Amino acid sequence: MNVELIQFFTIILFVIGILQYLNKSDEFVLLLVVFFYLTGIARYNAVISGKANWVDVAYAREIFFLTDDLAIEALGYFFMGTAVLSISYLLLNLHKPKYKLIDDNKILREFLKSKQKLIIWLYIFFLIVNGYSNRVMGSVHYSQQSVGVGYFFLFKLAIGGLILLFFMLFKNLPKNKRFLRFVYLVAMILAASSTYNMTSRFQFLSWMIALIFIIVGRSNIITKSIFYAAGGIVVLILFLIAGNKRTMMFANLTTEQEIEYAKERFAMAEDQNMLDGFMMVMQAYPEYLDFGYGSEHFEILLRPIPRAIWPDKPVGGYANKLGLNEGLPGTVGISQSIYGTFYGEGGPIAIVIFCIIYAFIFTKLFNTTLKYGSDMRHLLHGIIFASAVPILRGGDLPGIVAFIGMSYWPVFIFLYLYKKHLKHLARKEKIKETNEKSKQPTINAKLDNMPTQYALNQPHYPDAIQQK
């Protein structure tokens, strides 16, 4: 398949994604297509036009030779995965769930109020942890091999989920409590700024994307589109600026210069090199590595086991499995997109199979949010959407799943408690309805057994008085 044909079918998929968004307010297919364009087609065009070069990493040994012809082949598989995932998702979404929980914003507001102190204390604790972690990771004494550093890094990610819960508290505060709202807003800005740095760009995205969905949750399609466009541009610029700051020469620039360099970085598609990673995977499998046949997905379950307990635990990522990072100061791996991960599991056929499975999973997840009538729906929708971004980017899949779990576990626990609360309310409502239904027959039965004069509520007089 040539590039022109791929671009033509991409436009068709984009139109389908737009229609799905306008008709059902469902942005997922649009995300898939835009992601493919930015990290596939745009990256290919940037290299072919001479604005950028294919990635060349100084690994311990050279086994990757990226060419334009190989890029076209990889782009074809990349598009195939995007198309199968999009179409499968659309077909599985033809029937929406009818079951809904007894839920509205009033119930959510009362429940948030009951958990307010717990959320605030956790928020303060992880704000301190996040600040300390940033200082440790920025220290010259920091080493990626330090015992416990990896788990400590994952532990501090919870601030992302807590920012979202804290915003829910802020959103439901009475408008007349201006000072309290101001304090909450300052606290959120403080936490948000602590998540934005050159080493943790995806931690920033974990709450920022979800926050946009909460803000525009009940807005009309025009307002949503404006917020999505403006928010997307802001998030992209901040992401690119953080990427530039990883290079020392970009450390001390004015805001205007940072934005200008961010534009250049975007034009060169430096952060969108998933096509390069896909080519590397195609050269690694099956020549140097056997296909995984699902083993990389199985490694998700093994990730929590510390390497101190299991020294021979399999490493994540194709570069580490090949030992290409041995002797290097850090770990370098070019993300291959989720479709590249699927390719490593079994070649082109695995892309099709896993895309159908993932479409089913995302359909179930998004449909679960529709059961809620409160802003909980938009919170969960935003989290799923935000989680899809690192998943689509690909790389070390077990590490990505760990990142998502550790970022949102406070929200997951809150959701579990809230769902339990809703079920309790549903039981109370059912008991009330049952009592009301059984009450009426009981009253009628009592009236039937009473003397007629009492049943008719008539006064009873002795016969003599009646005759008189």
Side-chain angles (χ1 to χ4, degrees):
M1 186 182 291
N2 59 45
V3 178
E4 289 76 17
L5 202 56
I6 292 172
Q7 289 177 331
F8 173 74
F9 284 118
T10 302
I11 293 171
I12 293 176
L13 267 185
F14 180 75
V15 172
I16 293 172
I18 289 287
L19 293 174
Q20 177 76 357
Y21 168 62
L22 295 175
N23 293 330
K24 298 187 177 181
S25 194
D26 187 347
E27 314 87 352
F28 187 62
V29 173
L30 206 53
L31 170 67
L32 298 178
V33 180
V34 170
F35 177 82
F36 168 68
Y37 177 80
L38 292 177
T39 61
I41 293 176
R43 174 62 179 171
Y44 177 83
N45 289 335
V47 174
I48 296 301
S49 64
K51 293 179 181 178
N53 297 309
W54 299 122
V55 167
D56 184 15
V57 182
Y59 283 126
R61 54 197 175 101
E62 187 60 53
I63 64 170
F64 301 123
F65 303 95
L66 309 187
T67 64
D68 296 348
D69 290 338
L70 183 62
I72 294 174
E73 186 181 354
L75 197 63
Y77 289 138
F78 203 155
F79 173 76
M80 180 180 74
T82 303
V84 173
L85 183 54
S86 300
I87 294 169
S88 300
Y89 177 81
L90 290 170
L91 292 175
L92 290 168
N93 263 286
L94 292 176
H95 302 287
K96 294 291 184 181
K98 295 180 180 179
Y99 169 71
K100 289 192 175 183
L101 296 166
I102 298 174
D103 179 39
D104 57 35
N105 275 338
K106 185 180 178 181
I107 296 173
L108 178 60
R109 195 177 301 117
E110 291 299 318
F111 188 76
L112 276 166
K113 193 175 180 180
S114 69
K115 305 297 179 186
Q116 183 174 348
K117 288 184 179 179
L118 178 62
I119 294 172
I120 290 173
W121 281 114
L122 280 173
Y123 187 81
I124 293 171
F125 173 74
F126 277 97
L127 183 60
I128 296 170
V129 168
N130 198 67
Y132 176 73
S133 173
N134 289 340
R135 192 171 66 178
V136 169
M137 293 185 71
S139 171
V140 293
H141 301 293
Y142 165 73
S143 170
Q144 289 185 333
Q145 304 303 322
S146 300
V147 177
V149 166
Y151 287 96
F152 182 68
F153 170 75
L154 289 174
F155 182 65
K156 67 130 182 177
L157 295 175
I159 191 66
L162 286 165
I163 288 174
L164 298 175
L165 290 178
F166 203 78
F167 179 78
M168 296 289 282
L169 287 176
F170 168 79
K171 189 172 183 288
N172 287 283
L173 280 174
K175 291 184 179 180
N176 59 348
K177 294 189 176 182
R178 294 180 180 178
F179 178 74
L180 192 58
R181 289 173 69 88
F182 175 75
V183 172
Y184 272 47
L185 187 61
V186 171
M188 277 192 295
I189 293 172
L190 186 63
S193 62
S194 74
T195 66
Y196 180 70
N197 56 70
M198 61 184 181
T199 59
S200 308
R201 294 187 295 170
F202 280 93
Q203 185 186 10
F204 168 74
L205 292 182
S206 69
W207 63 266
M208 187 65 182
I209 295 174
L211 189 67
I212 295 173
F213 279 86
I214 300 171
I215 293 171
V216 303
R218 296 182 181 274
S219 304
N220 58 50
I221 202 72
I222 296 174
T223 305
K224 277 186 177 181
S225 301
I226 294 171
F227 266 89
Y228 288 159
I233 292 170
V234 171
V235 169
L236 181 60
I237 290 173
L238 291 173
F239 188 80
L240 292 168
I241 289 173
N244 278 334
K245 285 185 175 180
R246 289 185 295 183
T247 307
M248 292 304 294
M249 63 176 289
F250 293 104
N252 299 304
L253 298 175
T254 64
T255 303
E256 292 77 11
Q257 288 174 322
E258 286 182 339
I259 293 174
E260 197 60 37
Y261 278 117
K263 290 179 182 177
E264 289 183 16
R265 189 180 181 89
F266 180 74
M268 295 171 64
E270 284 194 25
D271 286 302
Q272 301 133 251
N273 52 20
M274 281 87 240
L275 183 61
D276 306 53
F278 204 131
M279 286 190 278
M280 290 179 174
V281 166
M282 289 175 64
Q283 291 186 333
Y285 295 91
E287 185 174 349
Y288 295 98
L289 292 171
D290 294 329
F291 286 126
Y293 300 113
S295 62
E296 187 153 358
H297 286 78
F298 180 71
E299 286 171 15
I300 294 171
L301 303 176
L302 307 179
R303 178 52 64 101
I305 304 173
R307 198 167 293 279
I309 298 174
W310 185 12
D312 296 327
K313 185 175 75 169
V315 293
Y318 62 93
N320 289 330
K321 289 176 181 177
L322 287 167
L324 301 181
N325 286 306
E326 292 179 4
L328 299 179
T331 299
V332 179
I334 306 302
S335 298
Q336 70 272 38
S337 82
I338 190 63
Y339 311 110
T341 300
F342 296 162
Y343 185 93
E345 295 283 47
I349 188 65
I351 296 177
V352 175
I353 294 170
F354 277 102
C355 279
I356 294 171
I357 293 172
Y358 272 58
F360 176 79
I361 293 170
F362 275 109
T363 300
K364 286 293 182 183
L365 289 173
F366 281 120
N367 284 346
T368 299
T369 68
L370 300 178
K371 296 178 181 179
Y372 295 89
S374 66
D375 285 340
M376 180 59 74
R377 171 189 296 188
H378 310 301
L379 170 62
L380 297 178
H381 189 95
I383 286 175
I384 297 167
F385 195 91
S387 300
V389 174
I391 288 174
L392 287 173
R393 178 176 174 266
D396 176 18
L397 185 61
I400 293 169
V401 174
F403 170 84
I404 293 169
M406 294 303 290
S407 294
Y408 300 121
W409 67 260
V411 179
F412 298 152
I413 292 175
F414 180 84
L415 174 65
Y416 169 76
L417 295 174
Y418 185 60
K419 195 171 182 180
K420 205 174 175 184
H421 176 66
L422 294 180
K423 287 181 178 179
H424 175 68
L425 293 179
R427 281 196 299 268
K428 284 178 66 176
E429 189 68 24
K430 192 172 182 180
I431 292 170
K432 184 180 177 182
E433 289 177 0
T434 304
N435 289 340
E436 286 178 354
K437 287 180 181 178
S438 60
K439 189 176 179 182
Q440 190 63 36
T442 304
I443 293 172
N444 292 336
K446 286 182 178 179
L447 289 174
D448 291 339
N449 294 328
M450 291 172 69
T452 305
Q453 60 268 36
Y454 289 108
L456 298 175
N457 201 24
Q458 296 291 332
H460 176 65
Y461 300 101
D463 293 339
I465 295 175
Q466 288 180 359
Q467 288 174 1
K468 184 176 178 180

